[in-house]
Each structure stands twice: as C-alpha cells, then as structure tokens.
Amino acid sequence: MGKSSKKKSFIFFIAIFALLTACSSNNTSTNKNAETENHSNAGVEEKGKTLRLGYINSTGNKDKDKPAVSGAEGWALNKGFLQEELKKIGITNIEYFSFPNGPNLNEAMASGEIDVGILGDTPALLARSSGQKTRLIGFANIFQDIWLVTNKKNGVSSLEELKGKTVATSNGSYMLRYLTGLLEENNLLEDVKIVHLLPPEAAAALERGDIQAYAFPTYMGPKHVKLGFPLLHQASKTTPHLTGTSVTIASEKFLEQNPEFLSVWTDTRERAVKDLKEHQEEFYQYVAEVIKQDLDVVKESLPLNNIREENFPKEGLELLEGTKKFLVKQGLIKKDFAIKDWMLKDQ
C-alpha cells in the first residue's frame, strides 16, 4: 500500500468513530459498552429529577460502591457538595455511567441516555463537529499527560525505530491526537501503522509482540512504567502542546430543561477545587481508592495545578483550539466551528 493510500485508510478508520456519534442519535437501544452504576444521593430513591452522569473509566475498575470519578468532580461527589446543591434545584438523584472511551460516551449522549459527560477533548470535539447537540460547560483537567511505552523484551529505544512497526492506542481519544501528532512531527506518520486498542488490553498485546508501543492515558501510563514497560516518550516532558484536556459537556436538551444547573455545577466545582487543594493527601487517597491505583501512580498522573478553579482556563482553551485545528488538518473534522460558540458560561 502506498503512503497516500495508507494515510487515507488511517483517516477513514478514525473518522468512523466520529460518524458513529451522529448515527447513534437514531439508536434507542441501551449502550452496551457502558457500566451502569445507579446510586441515589442518600442511598434511597427520592422523588425528583435525576442527573445521568457519564465518565471515562480506562482503569477497568468496576467497583459499584464508588464510581471511579476523579478530579474536582469526583471530590464534589465524595464530599456531598454536588448532591447538596442539586437538591435545591430539584435534582435529587444521580446515576453514573462508566465508559471505556470517549466514542462510547458520545453514543450514549447522542441517544439521550446521559445528560452530562466528562471525557477527553478529542472525542468531544469530533462529536460536536458531527452535529451532536452538546454545550461545553468547562474543563475538568488540563495538560492531561500521555505515556508512550514499548514492550519489555526487544522494545524499541527511539521513535525512529517505530518505522515500519505497529503502535496502538484507544481510537477517538486524546491519546490518539497525541500519537498522530507526535508521529507527524517526526515524519513517521506515513510509516507507522496505528491500530485501535483499549488500555486494559494493551499490556498483553505488548508482551505478545502484536504492537511495539502503546500510548497510555492518565493513571494507566505510570502504572505500566512501574510494571516495567520502558517509557519511550512522555507528552508533558517534550511536547506539552500535544497533551490533552478533559472537558465536561452537557446535552442542550438537559440544559434547557434545567436552566439553574450550569450555575450549580460551576459554583460547586469551584468549591470542590478549593477544598481538595486544602486537603491534598485526603484527595489523593480518595482518587487512589476509587480508581484502584497505587497512590504514587495517582500523584504522578494528576498534578493539582492541572485542576483549575475557573471553568475555562486560558491554557485549556488554547490546548482545545490546538487539538481542533489538528483534527481539521487531518480531515477528521469536516465542518469547522468556533469554540466560543460551543462554550456555555454561567452568567
């Protein structure tokens, strides 16, 4: 296969995931890729509206007692801040939906199965560009890191050695944007085969030699380096412009039906960020518990400076704009749009 054909095939393969979010709006069946965790705020069903909250769980944790929501959003739930304020506007219950990656969450959002989603910037942008009716209501995390590791035996020692080899990451993810951007900047995009693989499946594929490298997300990267997989490249160290952001989106329908929600979400998240920074060790212990990772792995993955009080930090918007431009350049976003038109700020 020629280089141009190879690149076209790669772009087509990735674009399928963006198209799924547009097509799935006609699909009324339950999303089979989600782990549903139904909890009321007080442990007993109360009368009132329900918030259906979706999030990405790349760690594979399926503990139903505590949903694996980390960051300020998870802390707001753990401390009861969010439940307390939502009750004041008639939302008395929260249901949690765990997804392995962003495209799956997008499908659930498009089919009306969730109201609010916390996910990586790339899948959120792809969904919006395909016509999904969402609004960007804030950033959960900025400068989200990626760890590119190789296999333990006979692994490559440089990016150049990936030429002619196969690498993997989760399709439609912020890690994919990093991986394709990194390869392009090193003139390797035409010579490296990228395949889709979810993080929990990566270690086995590396050990079998099916792939030569894998781009891991937050938490999973340091975990696998700790397990002995050699680190080939880390986004934050040399290519911070290729780091990702974790964003929060909400369906336009839900926001219209709950006009006070945005104010509650914004104020509660700001309160949670201030509180977690005053109780850092307690916060890190909480995250380690709910995502089932070692404490040192959590601390390396989640620098507190990356969790900002403001919903729309300048650095986050710059990273998001950079990601969007890259996706447009790659042909993955067919119809460009302005980030400012997608944002919804609390007045």
Side-chain angles (χ1 to χ4, degrees):
M1 184 183 293
K3 288 185 178 181
S4 61
S5 298
K6 186 175 181 180
K7 185 171 183 179
K8 288 178 181 177
S9 297
F10 164 72
I11 290 175
F12 175 78
F13 179 59
I14 306 305
I16 289 297
F17 283 80
L19 293 175
L20 280 173
T21 62
C23 297
S24 64
S25 60
N26 296 319
N27 179 11
T28 57
S29 63
T30 301
N31 187 337
K32 296 180 180 179
N33 292 309
E35 278 291 327
T36 307
E37 307 158 32
N38 295 315
H39 301 282
S40 71
N41 296 334
V44 178
E45 188 76 11
E46 300 179 44
K47 292 183 178 180
K49 295 182 180 180
T50 296
L51 167 65
R52 298 169 300 171
L53 179 63
Y55 66 97
I56 306 304
N57 179 9
S58 62
T59 66
N61 170 35
K62 296 181 180 180
D63 185 348
K64 297 298 183 66
D65 292 331
K66 283 192 175 183
V69 184
S70 58
E73 296 74 18
W75 191 242
L77 292 165
N78 179 59
K79 302 292 282 188
F81 298 159
L82 185 59
Q83 298 91 320
E84 172 189 330
E85 296 303 320
L86 286 176
K87 284 183 180 180
K88 296 176 183 178
I89 61 170
I91 299 176
T92 56
N93 301 286
I94 302 176
E95 291 179 358
Y96 304 90
F97 295 80
S98 169
F99 298 89
N101 63 358
N104 297 131
L105 187 153
N106 281 335
E107 289 182 46
M109 178 75 78
S111 59
E113 295 171 7
I114 62 172
D115 307 306
V116 176
I118 305 169
L119 72 167
D121 51 14
T122 296
L125 286 164
L126 290 173
R128 177 67 179 186
S129 71
S130 69
Q132 193 173 102
K133 294 183 177 181
T134 63
R135 297 301 296 271
L136 176 67
I137 63 173
F139 287 79
N141 194 357
I142 62 174
F143 297 118
Q144 201 157 319
D145 216 346
I146 307 98
W147 291 259
L148 182 64
V149 308
T150 185
N151 53 37
K152 297 177 182 178
K153 297 180 180 179
N154 303 315
V156 299
S157 58
S158 68
L159 292 175
E160 185 64 26
E161 290 180 39
L162 289 175
K163 187 176 289 187
K165 295 183 170 60
T166 300
V167 301
T169 196
S170 177
N171 219 336
S173 67
Y174 80 95
M175 299 90 72
L176 179 67
R177 179 270 196 270
Y178 153 79
L179 186 56
T180 54
L182 180 68
L183 293 175
E184 183 180 55
E185 289 182 7
N186 287 272
N187 298 313
L188 293 170
L189 186 57
E190 301 284 355
D191 302 300
V192 177
K193 181 180 180 181
I194 300 176
V195 298
H196 167 62
L197 195 63
L198 292 174
E201 303 165 354
L206 283 166
E207 290 178 337
R208 288 193 304 266
D210 296 343
I211 57 176
Q212 283 299 308
Y214 189 89
F216 277 109
T218 300
Y219 307 126
M220 297 293 279
K223 173 186 176 180
H224 283 80
V225 172
K226 189 176 180 180
L227 289 172
F229 290 91
L231 180 64
L232 189 60
H233 188 271
Q234 186 173 344
S236 64
K237 302 299 184 185
T238 55
T239 55
H241 60 287
L242 294 179
T243 56
T245 60
S246 179
V247 300
T248 304
I249 59 174
S251 74
E252 292 182 357
K253 181 179 179 180
F254 176 77
L255 292 169
E256 289 170 1
Q257 293 174 342
N258 300 275
E260 297 176 285
F261 174 79
L262 181 61
S263 179
V264 167
W265 181 271
T266 300
D267 293 345
T268 303
R269 187 182 176 282
E270 181 179 347
R271 176 185 175 188
V273 174
K274 290 178 180 178
D275 190 81
L276 72 84
K277 290 185 177 181
E278 292 174 358
H279 304 87
Q280 296 186 21
E281 285 304 315
E282 185 184 350
F283 168 69
Y284 277 131
Q285 288 286 353
Y286 160 76
V287 176
E289 178 184 348
V290 298
I291 67 168
K292 306 301 179 186
Q293 296 288 349
D294 293 342
L295 187 60
D296 59 338
V297 166
V298 171
K299 288 183 176 181
E300 184 176 349
S301 295
L302 196 61
L304 295 189
N305 188 50
N306 291 354
I307 304 175
R308 304 293 173 84
E309 290 180 25
E310 61 268 40
N311 265 14
F312 296 102
K314 179 182 177 182
E315 299 97 325
L317 289 170
E318 290 173 349
L319 285 169
L320 191 63
E321 186 63 39
T323 297
K324 182 172 70 72
K325 287 180 178 178
F326 175 82
L327 295 172
V328 169
K329 180 182 177 182
Q330 291 295 316
L332 301 177
I333 287 181
K334 302 297 184 182
K335 186 177 181 181
D336 200 359
F337 62 95
I339 296 295
K340 63 180 179 60
D341 294 335
W342 185 29
M343 293 166 53
L344 183 62
K345 290 186 176 182
D346 185 26
Q347 301 300 322

PDB file of all heavy atoms in Angstrom, residues 117-151:
ATOM      1  N   GLY A 117     -21.421  14.633  30.455  1.00  0.00           N
ATOM      2  CA  GLY A 117     -20.312  13.713  30.271  1.00  0.00           C
ATOM      3  C   GLY A 117     -18.972  14.370  30.519  1.00  0.00           C
ATOM      4  O   GLY A 117     -18.765  15.532  30.154  1.00  0.00           O
ATOM      5  N   ILE A 118     -18.062  13.636  31.157  1.00  0.00           N
ATOM      6  CA  ILE A 118     -16.691  14.092  31.379  1.00  0.00           C
ATOM      7  C   ILE A 118     -15.795  13.184  30.545  1.00  0.00           C
ATOM      8  O   ILE A 118     -15.756  11.970  30.758  1.00  0.00           O
ATOM      9  CB  ILE A 118     -16.310  14.004  32.869  1.00  0.00           C
ATOM     10  CG1 ILE A 118     -17.312  14.785  33.730  1.00  0.00           C
ATOM     11  CG2 ILE A 118     -14.893  14.537  33.099  1.00  0.00           C
ATOM     12  CD1 ILE A 118     -17.152  14.530  35.228  1.00  0.00           C
ATOM     13  N   LEU A 119     -15.087  13.753  29.581  1.00  0.00           N
ATOM     14  CA  LEU A 119     -14.325  12.947  28.635  1.00  0.00           C
ATOM     15  C   LEU A 119     -13.178  13.753  28.038  1.00  0.00           C
ATOM     16  O   LEU A 119     -13.047  14.948  28.298  1.00  0.00           O
ATOM     17  CB  LEU A 119     -15.225  12.427  27.517  1.00  0.00           C
ATOM     18  CG  LEU A 119     -15.741  13.416  26.459  1.00  0.00           C
ATOM     19  CD1 LEU A 119     -16.352  12.642  25.279  1.00  0.00           C
ATOM     20  CD2 LEU A 119     -16.746  14.396  27.006  1.00  0.00           C
ATOM     21  N   GLY A 120     -12.367  13.102  27.235  1.00  0.00           N
ATOM     22  CA  GLY A 120     -11.242  13.764  26.600  1.00  0.00           C
ATOM     23  C   GLY A 120     -11.683  14.746  25.527  1.00  0.00           C
ATOM     24  O   GLY A 120     -12.780  14.638  24.961  1.00  0.00           O
ATOM     25  N   ASP A 121     -10.805  15.704  25.224  1.00  0.00           N
ATOM     26  CA  ASP A 121     -11.155  16.758  24.270  1.00  0.00           C
ATOM     27  C   ASP A 121     -11.410  16.254  22.856  1.00  0.00           C
ATOM     28  O   ASP A 121     -12.333  16.711  22.177  1.00  0.00           O
ATOM     29  CB  ASP A 121     -10.081  17.848  24.253  1.00  0.00           C
ATOM     30  CG  ASP A 121      -8.658  17.319  24.078  1.00  0.00           C
ATOM     31  OD1 ASP A 121      -8.489  16.141  23.704  1.00  0.00           O
ATOM     32  OD2 ASP A 121      -7.709  18.085  24.323  1.00  0.00           O
ATOM     33  N   THR A 122     -10.614  15.285  22.395  1.00  0.00           N
ATOM     34  CA  THR A 122     -10.737  14.831  21.014  1.00  0.00           C
ATOM     35  C   THR A 122     -12.109  14.231  20.708  1.00  0.00           C
ATOM     36  O   THR A 122     -12.765  14.655  19.748  1.00  0.00           O
ATOM     37  CB  THR A 122      -9.610  13.839  20.669  1.00  0.00           C
ATOM     38  OG1 THR A 122      -8.353  14.523  20.745  1.00  0.00           O
ATOM     39  CG2 THR A 122      -9.784  13.276  19.270  1.00  0.00           C
ATOM     40  N   PRO A 123     -12.580  13.258  21.477  1.00  0.00           N
ATOM     41  CA  PRO A 123     -13.915  12.725  21.171  1.00  0.00           C
ATOM     42  C   PRO A 123     -15.023  13.756  21.329  1.00  0.00           C
ATOM     43  O   PRO A 123     -16.008  13.734  20.578  1.00  0.00           O
ATOM     44  CB  PRO A 123     -14.084  11.568  22.157  1.00  0.00           C
ATOM     45  CG  PRO A 123     -13.096  11.824  23.239  1.00  0.00           C
ATOM     46  CD  PRO A 123     -11.949  12.507  22.581  1.00  0.00           C
ATOM     47  N   ALA A 124     -14.864  14.675  22.284  1.00  0.00           N
ATOM     48  CA  ALA A 124     -15.881  15.712  22.473  1.00  0.00           C
ATOM     49  C   ALA A 124     -15.943  16.630  21.256  1.00  0.00           C
ATOM     50  O   ALA A 124     -17.027  17.008  20.788  1.00  0.00           O
ATOM     51  CB  ALA A 124     -15.579  16.524  23.731  1.00  0.00           C
ATOM     52  N   LEU A 125     -14.790  16.999  20.716  1.00  0.00           N
ATOM     53  CA  LEU A 125     -14.731  17.848  19.524  1.00  0.00           C
ATOM     54  C   LEU A 125     -15.297  17.129  18.301  1.00  0.00           C
ATOM     55  O   LEU A 125     -16.043  17.720  17.508  1.00  0.00           O
ATOM     56  CB  LEU A 125     -13.288  18.262  19.250  1.00  0.00           C
ATOM     57  CG  LEU A 125     -12.686  19.314  20.181  1.00  0.00           C
ATOM     58  CD1 LEU A 125     -11.164  19.326  20.049  1.00  0.00           C
ATOM     59  CD2 LEU A 125     -13.252  20.703  19.892  1.00  0.00           C
ATOM     60  N   LEU A 126     -14.928  15.856  18.141  1.00  0.00           N
ATOM     61  CA  LEU A 126     -15.421  15.097  16.995  1.00  0.00           C
ATOM     62  C   LEU A 126     -16.939  14.975  17.022  1.00  0.00           C
ATOM     63  O   LEU A 126     -17.600  15.083  15.986  1.00  0.00           O
ATOM     64  CB  LEU A 126     -14.780  13.704  16.979  1.00  0.00           C
ATOM     65  CG  LEU A 126     -13.290  13.656  16.649  1.00  0.00           C
ATOM     66  CD1 LEU A 126     -12.751  12.244  16.827  1.00  0.00           C
ATOM     67  CD2 LEU A 126     -13.024  14.140  15.230  1.00  0.00           C
ATOM     68  N   ALA A 127     -17.491  14.765  18.216  1.00  0.00           N
ATOM     69  CA  ALA A 127     -18.942  14.639  18.338  1.00  0.00           C
ATOM     70  C   ALA A 127     -19.632  15.950  17.995  1.00  0.00           C
ATOM     71  O   ALA A 127     -20.625  15.974  17.261  1.00  0.00           O
ATOM     72  CB  ALA A 127     -19.312  14.193  19.745  1.00  0.00           C
ATOM     73  N   ARG A 128     -19.107  17.041  18.527  1.00  0.00           N
ATOM     74  CA  ARG A 128     -19.702  18.350  18.249  1.00  0.00           C
ATOM     75  C   ARG A 128     -19.648  18.667  16.753  1.00  0.00           C
ATOM     76  O   ARG A 128     -20.623  19.168  16.177  1.00  0.00           O
ATOM     77  CB  ARG A 128     -18.964  19.440  19.043  1.00  0.00           C
ATOM     78  CG  ARG A 128     -19.463  20.859  18.768  1.00  0.00           C
ATOM     79  CD  ARG A 128     -20.879  21.077  19.259  1.00  0.00           C
ATOM     80  NE  ARG A 128     -21.332  22.448  18.998  1.00  0.00           N
ATOM     81  CZ  ARG A 128     -22.477  22.957  19.413  1.00  0.00           C
ATOM     82  NH1 ARG A 128     -23.305  22.200  20.124  1.00  0.00           N
ATOM     83  NH2 ARG A 128     -22.815  24.202  19.151  1.00  0.00           N
ATOM     84  N   SER A 129     -18.525  18.347  16.119  1.00  0.00           N
ATOM     85  CA  SER A 129     -18.376  18.649  14.693  1.00  0.00           C
ATOM     86  C   SER A 129     -19.311  17.805  13.837  1.00  0.00           C
ATOM     87  O   SER A 129     -19.636  18.188  12.712  1.00  0.00           O
ATOM     88  CB  SER A 129     -16.926  18.424  14.250  1.00  0.00           C
ATOM     89  OG  SER A 129     -16.608  17.045  14.216  1.00  0.00           O
ATOM     90  N   SER A 130     -19.733  16.649  14.355  1.00  0.00           N
ATOM     91  CA  SER A 130     -20.638  15.787  13.595  1.00  0.00           C
ATOM     92  C   SER A 130     -22.096  16.168  13.798  1.00  0.00           C
ATOM     93  O   SER A 130     -22.988  15.523  13.261  1.00  0.00           O
ATOM     94  CB  SER A 130     -20.429  14.320  13.989  1.00  0.00           C
ATOM     95  OG  SER A 130     -20.885  14.082  15.308  1.00  0.00           O
ATOM     96  N   GLY A 131     -22.337  17.220  14.592  1.00  0.00           N
ATOM     97  CA  GLY A 131     -23.691  17.722  14.770  1.00  0.00           C
ATOM     98  C   GLY A 131     -24.344  17.376  16.087  1.00  0.00           C
ATOM     99  O   GLY A 131     -25.526  17.691  16.300  1.00  0.00           O
ATOM    100  N   GLN A 132     -23.604  16.731  16.988  1.00  0.00           N
ATOM    101  CA  GLN A 132     -24.192  16.386  18.285  1.00  0.00           C
ATOM    102  C   GLN A 132     -24.530  17.662  19.060  1.00  0.00           C
ATOM    103  O   GLN A 132     -23.718  18.586  19.149  1.00  0.00           O
ATOM    104  CB  GLN A 132     -23.227  15.521  19.091  1.00  0.00           C
ATOM    105  CG  GLN A 132     -23.887  14.871  20.293  1.00  0.00           C
ATOM    106  CD  GLN A 132     -22.953  13.894  20.983  1.00  0.00           C
ATOM    107  OE1 GLN A 132     -22.378  14.203  22.016  1.00  0.00           O
ATOM    108  NE2 GLN A 132     -22.782  12.714  20.414  1.00  0.00           N
ATOM    109  N   LYS A 133     -25.712  17.708  19.635  1.00  0.00           N
ATOM    110  CA  LYS A 133     -26.201  18.911  20.308  1.00  0.00           C
ATOM    111  C   LYS A 133     -25.744  18.939  21.762  1.00  0.00           C
ATOM    112  O   LYS A 133     -26.482  18.588  22.681  1.00  0.00           O
ATOM    113  CB  LYS A 133     -27.714  18.992  20.195  1.00  0.00           C
ATOM    114  CG  LYS A 133     -28.179  19.188  18.767  1.00  0.00           C
ATOM    115  CD  LYS A 133     -29.685  19.351  18.669  1.00  0.00           C
ATOM    116  CE  LYS A 133     -30.110  19.610  17.228  1.00  0.00           C
ATOM    117  NZ  LYS A 133     -31.575  19.790  17.094  1.00  0.00           N
ATOM    118  N   THR A 134     -24.493  19.358  21.947  1.00  0.00           N
ATOM    119  CA  THR A 134     -23.919  19.495  23.283  1.00  0.00           C
ATOM    120  C   THR A 134     -23.412  20.912  23.473  1.00  0.00           C
ATOM    121  O   THR A 134     -23.207  21.646  22.509  1.00  0.00           O
ATOM    122  CB  THR A 134     -22.743  18.524  23.487  1.00  0.00           C
ATOM    123  OG1 THR A 134     -21.699  18.853  22.548  1.00  0.00           O
ATOM    124  CG2 THR A 134     -23.171  17.083  23.293  1.00  0.00           C
ATOM    125  N   ARG A 135     -23.197  21.265  24.717  1.00  0.00           N
ATOM    126  CA  ARG A 135     -22.519  22.519  25.044  1.00  0.00           C
ATOM    127  C   ARG A 135     -21.336  22.196  25.950  1.00  0.00           C
ATOM    128  O   ARG A 135     -21.413  21.316  26.814  1.00  0.00           O
ATOM    129  CB  ARG A 135     -23.468  23.484  25.756  1.00  0.00           C
ATOM    130  CG  ARG A 135     -24.649  23.922  24.934  1.00  0.00           C
ATOM    131  CD  ARG A 135     -24.265  24.618  23.629  1.00  0.00           C
ATOM    132  NE  ARG A 135     -23.560  25.865  23.826  1.00  0.00           N
ATOM    133  CZ  ARG A 135     -24.159  27.047  23.944  1.00  0.00           C
ATOM    134  NH1 ARG A 135     -25.486  27.148  23.893  1.00  0.00           N
ATOM    135  NH2 ARG A 135     -23.454  28.152  24.082  1.00  0.00           N
ATOM    136  N   LEU A 136     -20.251  22.912  25.722  1.00  0.00           N
ATOM    137  CA  LEU A 136     -19.057  22.783  26.562  1.00  0.00           C
ATOM    138  C   LEU A 136     -19.275  23.622  27.811  1.00  0.00           C
ATOM    139  O   LEU A 136     -19.419  24.846  27.732  1.00  0.00           O
ATOM    140  CB  LEU A 136     -17.834  23.277  25.790  1.00  0.00           C
ATOM    141  CG  LEU A 136     -16.501  23.309  26.536  1.00  0.00           C
ATOM    142  CD1 LEU A 136     -16.038  21.898  26.858  1.00  0.00           C
ATOM    143  CD2 LEU A 136     -15.456  24.040  25.701  1.00  0.00           C
ATOM    144  N   ILE A 137     -19.296  22.974  28.998  1.00  0.00           N
ATOM    145  CA  ILE A 137     -19.569  23.732  30.223  1.00  0.00           C
ATOM    146  C   ILE A 137     -18.338  23.857  31.129  1.00  0.00           C
ATOM    147  O   ILE A 137     -18.426  24.460  32.193  1.00  0.00           O
ATOM    148  CB  ILE A 137     -20.751  23.144  31.011  1.00  0.00           C
ATOM    149  CG1 ILE A 137     -20.456  21.719  31.490  1.00  0.00           C
ATOM    150  CG2 ILE A 137     -22.020  23.169  30.163  1.00  0.00           C
ATOM    151  CD1 ILE A 137     -21.528  21.169  32.425  1.00  0.00           C
ATOM    152  N   GLY A 138     -17.198  23.313  30.690  1.00  0.00           N
ATOM    153  CA  GLY A 138     -15.991  23.523  31.482  1.00  0.00           C
ATOM    154  C   GLY A 138     -14.904  22.507  31.205  1.00  0.00           C
ATOM    155  O   GLY A 138     -15.068  21.584  30.406  1.00  0.00           O
ATOM    156  N   PHE A 139     -13.770  22.701  31.876  1.00  0.00           N
ATOM    157  CA  PHE A 139     -12.625  21.797  31.790  1.00  0.00           C
ATOM    158  C   PHE A 139     -12.452  21.093  33.132  1.00  0.00           C
ATOM    159  O   PHE A 139     -12.393  21.745  34.171  1.00  0.00           O
ATOM    160  CB  PHE A 139     -11.343  22.579  31.481  1.00  0.00           C
ATOM    161  CG  PHE A 139     -11.261  23.082  30.073  1.00  0.00           C
ATOM    162  CD1 PHE A 139     -11.947  24.223  29.683  1.00  0.00           C
ATOM    163  CD2 PHE A 139     -10.506  22.412  29.120  1.00  0.00           C
ATOM    164  CE1 PHE A 139     -11.883  24.693  28.384  1.00  0.00           C
ATOM    165  CE2 PHE A 139     -10.426  22.873  27.814  1.00  0.00           C
ATOM    166  CZ  PHE A 139     -11.120  24.025  27.442  1.00  0.00           C
ATOM    167  N   ALA A 140     -12.372  19.784  33.094  1.00  0.00           N
ATOM    168  CA  ALA A 140     -12.119  19.036  34.319  1.00  0.00           C
ATOM    169  C   ALA A 140     -10.623  19.033  34.641  1.00  0.00           C
ATOM    170  O   ALA A 140     -10.228  19.084  35.807  1.00  0.00           O
ATOM    171  CB  ALA A 140     -12.628  17.600  34.172  1.00  0.00           C
ATOM    172  N   ASN A 141      -9.799  18.987  33.604  1.00  0.00           N
ATOM    173  CA  ASN A 141      -8.354  18.837  33.786  1.00  0.00           C
ATOM    174  C   ASN A 141      -7.662  19.369  32.541  1.00  0.00           C
ATOM    175  O   ASN A 141      -8.166  19.208  31.435  1.00  0.00           O
ATOM    176  CB  ASN A 141      -8.035  17.345  33.976  1.00  0.00           C
ATOM    177  CG  ASN A 141      -6.638  17.100  34.498  1.00  0.00           C
ATOM    178  OD1 ASN A 141      -5.852  18.024  34.671  1.00  0.00           O
ATOM    179  ND2 ASN A 141      -6.324  15.842  34.755  1.00  0.00           N
ATOM    180  N   ILE A 142      -6.521  20.021  32.705  1.00  0.00           N
ATOM    181  CA  ILE A 142      -5.748  20.487  31.551  1.00  0.00           C
ATOM    182  C   ILE A 142      -4.347  19.883  31.601  1.00  0.00           C
ATOM    183  O   ILE A 142      -3.923  19.357  32.631  1.00  0.00           O
ATOM    184  CB  ILE A 142      -5.672  22.025  31.490  1.00  0.00           C
ATOM    185  CG1 ILE A 142      -4.952  22.590  32.711  1.00  0.00           C
ATOM    186  CG2 ILE A 142      -7.070  22.626  31.369  1.00  0.00           C
ATOM    187  CD1 ILE A 142      -4.730  24.100  32.634  1.00  0.00           C
ATOM    188  N   PHE A 143      -3.643  19.954  30.491  1.00  0.00           N
ATOM    189  CA  PHE A 143      -2.299  19.343  30.365  1.00  0.00           C
ATOM    190  C   PHE A 143      -2.334  17.867  30.768  1.00  0.00           C
ATOM    191  O   PHE A 143      -1.455  17.376  31.483  1.00  0.00           O
ATOM    192  CB  PHE A 143      -1.265  20.109  31.200  1.00  0.00           C
ATOM    193  CG  PHE A 143      -1.058  21.524  30.766  1.00  0.00           C
ATOM    194  CD1 PHE A 143      -1.335  22.580  31.624  1.00  0.00           C
ATOM    195  CD2 PHE A 143      -0.597  21.824  29.496  1.00  0.00           C
ATOM    196  CE1 PHE A 143      -1.157  23.891  31.233  1.00  0.00           C
ATOM    197  CE2 PHE A 143      -0.415  23.142  29.084  1.00  0.00           C
ATOM    198  CZ  PHE A 143      -0.698  24.181  29.958  1.00  0.00           C
ATOM    199  N   GLN A 144      -3.357  17.176  30.297  1.00  0.00           N
ATOM    200  CA  GLN A 144      -3.504  15.758  30.619  1.00  0.00           C
ATOM    201  C   GLN A 144      -2.434  14.959  29.886  1.00  0.00           C
ATOM    202  O   GLN A 144      -2.359  14.981  28.661  1.00  0.00           O
ATOM    203  CB  GLN A 144      -4.907  15.297  30.230  1.00  0.00           C
ATOM    204  CG  GLN A 144      -5.355  14.059  30.936  1.00  0.00           C
ATOM    205  CD  GLN A 144      -6.871  13.963  30.978  1.00  0.00           C
ATOM    206  OE1 GLN A 144      -7.560  14.951  31.194  1.00  0.00           O
ATOM    207  NE2 GLN A 144      -7.390  12.771  30.771  1.00  0.00           N
ATOM    208  N   ASP A 145      -1.646  14.224  30.627  1.00  0.00           N
ATOM    209  CA  ASP A 145      -0.440  13.614  30.079  1.00  0.00           C
ATOM    210  C   ASP A 145      -0.714  12.306  29.346  1.00  0.00           C
ATOM    211  O   ASP A 145      -1.758  11.667  29.531  1.00  0.00           O
ATOM    212  CB  ASP A 145       0.558  13.367  31.214  1.00  0.00           C
ATOM    213  CG  ASP A 145       1.994  13.571  30.777  1.00  0.00           C
ATOM    214  OD1 ASP A 145       2.248  13.649  29.559  1.00  0.00           O
ATOM    215  OD2 ASP A 145       2.875  13.669  31.655  1.00  0.00           O
ATOM    216  N   ILE A 146       0.254  11.908  28.510  1.00  0.00           N
ATOM    217  CA  ILE A 146       0.226  10.632  27.797  1.00  0.00           C
ATOM    218  C   ILE A 146       1.598   9.997  27.904  1.00  0.00           C
ATOM    219  O   ILE A 146       2.623  10.683  27.797  1.00  0.00           O
ATOM    220  CB  ILE A 146      -0.140  10.808  26.302  1.00  0.00           C
ATOM    221  CG1 ILE A 146      -1.432  11.603  26.137  1.00  0.00           C
ATOM    222  CG2 ILE A 146      -0.291   9.440  25.634  1.00  0.00           C
ATOM    223  CD1 ILE A 146      -1.221  13.059  25.835  1.00  0.00           C
ATOM    224  N   TRP A 147       1.625   8.690  28.128  1.00  0.00           N
ATOM    225  CA  TRP A 147       2.874   7.940  28.257  1.00  0.00           C
ATOM    226  C   TRP A 147       2.952   6.918  27.124  1.00  0.00           C
ATOM    227  O   TRP A 147       2.111   6.014  27.030  1.00  0.00           O
ATOM    228  CB  TRP A 147       2.922   7.215  29.595  1.00  0.00           C
ATOM    229  CG  TRP A 147       3.053   8.095  30.797  1.00  0.00           C
ATOM    230  CD1 TRP A 147       4.181   8.355  31.521  1.00  0.00           C
ATOM    231  CD2 TRP A 147       2.002   8.849  31.458  1.00  0.00           C
ATOM    232  NE1 TRP A 147       3.910   9.208  32.574  1.00  0.00           N
ATOM    233  CE2 TRP A 147       2.586   9.533  32.555  1.00  0.00           C
ATOM    234  CE3 TRP A 147       0.637   9.010  31.223  1.00  0.00           C
ATOM    235  CZ2 TRP A 147       1.848  10.349  33.400  1.00  0.00           C
ATOM    236  CZ3 TRP A 147      -0.099   9.826  32.059  1.00  0.00           C
ATOM    237  CH2 TRP A 147       0.503  10.486  33.136  1.00  0.00           C
ATOM    238  N   LEU A 148       3.952   7.051  26.252  1.00  0.00           N
ATOM    239  CA  LEU A 148       4.160   6.107  25.164  1.00  0.00           C
ATOM    240  C   LEU A 148       5.197   5.086  25.630  1.00  0.00           C
ATOM    241  O   LEU A 148       6.362   5.424  25.833  1.00  0.00           O
ATOM    242  CB  LEU A 148       4.650   6.833  23.909  1.00  0.00           C
ATOM    243  CG  LEU A 148       4.868   5.972  22.661  1.00  0.00           C
ATOM    244  CD1 LEU A 148       3.547   5.374  22.181  1.00  0.00           C
ATOM    245  CD2 LEU A 148       5.509   6.794  21.542  1.00  0.00           C
ATOM    246  N   VAL A 149       4.766   3.840  25.806  1.00  0.00           N
ATOM    247  CA  VAL A 149       5.672   2.805  26.301  1.00  0.00           C
ATOM    248  C   VAL A 149       5.868   1.738  25.235  1.00  0.00           C
ATOM    249  O   VAL A 149       5.047   1.572  24.327  1.00  0.00           O
ATOM    250  CB  VAL A 149       5.139   2.158  27.600  1.00  0.00           C
ATOM    251  CG1 VAL A 149       4.800   3.217  28.642  1.00  0.00           C
ATOM    252  CG2 VAL A 149       3.929   1.272  27.334  1.00  0.00           C
ATOM    253  N   THR A 150       6.954   1.000  25.371  1.00  0.00           N
ATOM    254  CA  THR A 150       7.255  -0.077  24.444  1.00  0.00           C
ATOM    255  C   THR A 150       7.261  -1.402  25.215  1.00  0.00           C
ATOM    256  O   THR A 150       7.047  -1.429  26.435  1.00  0.00           O
ATOM    257  CB  THR A 150       8.601   0.179  23.745  1.00  0.00           C
ATOM    258  OG1 THR A 150       8.816  -0.835  22.750  1.00  0.00           O
ATOM    259  CG2 THR A 150       9.754   0.181  24.735  1.00  0.00           C
ATOM    260  N   ASN A 151       7.484  -2.519  24.492  1.00  0.00           N
ATOM    261  CA  ASN A 151       7.430  -3.807  25.190  1.00  0.00           C
ATOM    262  C   ASN A 151       8.721  -4.089  25.955  1.00  0.00           C
ATOM    263  O   ASN A 151       9.765  -3.499  25.701  1.00  0.00           O
ATOM    264  CB  ASN A 151       7.092  -4.958  24.226  1.00  0.00           C
ATOM    265  CG  ASN A 151       8.001  -5.015  23.016  1.00  0.00           C
ATOM    266  OD1 ASN A 151       9.188  -4.752  23.112  1.00  0.00           O
ATOM    267  ND2 ASN A 151       7.433  -5.358  21.877  1.00  0.00           N
TER     268      ASN A 151
END
